[in-house]
Amino acid sequence: MSEKFLGEAGQAAVYYLPASRRDAVDAAAARLQLRAIPVDLSRAASAGEALRRLGEALDFPDWYGANFDALIDCLTDPECLPGKGHVLFVDGAATLRHGDPAAFATLLDVLQAAAGARRAAGAPLWILLDTHAPGVNPLPEK
């Protein structure tokens, strides 16, 4: 994967990333000094479990309430997610999609809003799902 795309903060958003490309994207993120964070949702069939796992993986503060409002607050707060940019590798999202489709749709909306806010602030947040989702394009190869 070319570092050029990850280097364009204006392109940061939610994308589908097949497992076969993960290592290359992870290496590109490292070269660009973007913090790569794996999030395992493979056992999260409910909104509550998915939100808890996200909070743990992202090491959110104690006040994080594991709800969608708190998630967007933390994802867009530079004190909760410091650094020049981040790449979240979200694995197992299909579990939530199948277990609680409404929560999955809400999670996508929140992730897309957070990526947009971080993009506007100049601290890109790339969110890469390992499963296809409505309205989520594949991460371009270049």
Side-chain angles (χ1 to χ4, degrees):
M1 143 117 212
S2 169
E3 292 173 31
K4 183 178 180 184
F5 192 77
L6 279 183
E8 296 177 16
Q11 299 294 324
V14 179
Y15 293 96
Y16 163 67
L17 179 71
S20 62
R21 294 183 53 209
R22 172 133 178 206
D23 288 344
V25 173
D26 193 28
R31 287 189 295 273
L32 290 167
Q33 298 178 343
L34 299 173
R35 182 176 166 216
I37 305 168
V39 179
D40 181 7
L41 298 183
S42 63
R43 295 184 186 180
S46 69
E49 184 62 20
L51 291 162
R52 186 185 67 73
R53 289 179 181 268
L54 281 158
E56 288 174 357
L58 296 164
D59 196 27
F60 285 157
D62 292 339
W63 59 260
Y64 172 67
N67 60 61
F68 289 115
D69 289 333
L71 178 63
I72 196 153
D73 288 347
C74 287
L75 287 174
T76 59
D77 184 338
E79 290 184 22
C80 292
L81 207 55
K84 75 175 213 171
H86 299 80
V87 178
L88 303 185
F89 291 101
V90 181
D91 299 319
T95 302
L96 182 62
R97 186 181 68 213
H98 295 299
D100 190 342
F104 179 75
T106 301
L107 178 62
L108 282 180
D109 288 344
V110 168
L111 294 176
Q112 289 168 337
R118 293 294 296 236
R119 184 175 56 243
L125 175 61
W126 301 84
I127 302 164
L128 308 178
L129 305 175
D130 71 342
T131 189
H132 291 283
V136 175
N137 294 320
L139 183 71
E141 294 204 30
K142 296 183 180 188

